[in-house]
Amino acid sequence: MHSSSLKHRSLGRWELLGWLNETLSLDYAKVEDCSDGAAFLQILDAFFPGKIPLHRLNFSAKLPAQRLNNIRLLDKMMKECGIEHPLPIEGIANASFQDNYDTLQFFHTYVHKNGPRVLIG
């Protein structure tokens, strides 16, 4: 069986968090910590160096409105980079477990199917 015909398996929350923390040298304790959008934008920056305006990212976003600005930036950058994947913008910014988990799973799969080897780990 060719690797291209293999479907990437879904990972549990702890496996995904472990991958994210190791890949980006983070210490996120729960999936909902992704709601600030910072990790997702850093992954995009690894794929598209210099294209992601990280200087516009609020790395200390705590309030839903601050996170919402980051997630809107993420959505815009994904579209500009040709990544067609609908984001549950409000759900991510409001720290919905399921929306953050699904988005983290998407990025994990994206990295393993397309990624720079530095992110695969």
Side-chain angles (χ1 to χ4, degrees):
M1 182 179 288
H2 298 306
S3 62
S4 61
S5 65
L6 295 176
K7 184 177 180 184
H8 199 269
R9 71 179 182 91
S10 292
L11 298 178
R13 74 175 85 182
W14 304 119
E15 291 173 297
L16 285 171
L17 276 176
W19 168 78
L20 184 67
N21 285 334
E22 182 179 325
T23 300
L24 297 178
S25 298
L26 300 172
D27 61 352
Y28 284 3
K30 55 188 180 176
V31 170
E32 294 89 333
D33 291 341
C34 294
S35 66
D36 65 3
F40 300 139
L41 280 158
Q42 289 177 77
I43 291 170
L44 275 186
D45 186 59
F47 275 85
F48 306 98
K51 186 164 185 157
I52 310 303
L54 292 178
H55 65 278
R56 290 185 41 206
L57 179 61
N58 181 347
F59 282 93
S60 59
K62 300 291 181 219
L63 300 173
Q66 295 169 325
R67 296 189 305 251
L68 190 58
N69 287 335
N70 285 351
I71 302 305
R72 286 183 178 140
L73 177 62
L74 171 65
D75 186 55
K76 179 182 177 188
M77 292 296 95
M78 287 176 67
K79 288 175 182 165
E80 285 184 16
C81 292
I83 301 172
E84 297 297 325
H85 180 78
L87 285 181
I89 295 171
E90 296 281 335
I92 295 170
N94 288 317
S96 157
F97 168 80
Q98 193 63 53
D99 290 333
N100 279 279
Y101 173 81
D102 291 344
T103 304
L104 182 54
Q105 182 70 55
F106 166 78
F107 274 101
H108 179 267
T109 301
Y110 185 85
V111 166
H112 280 79
K113 286 185 176 179
N114 304 295
R117 295 287 169 215
V118 296
L119 285 179
I120 293 178

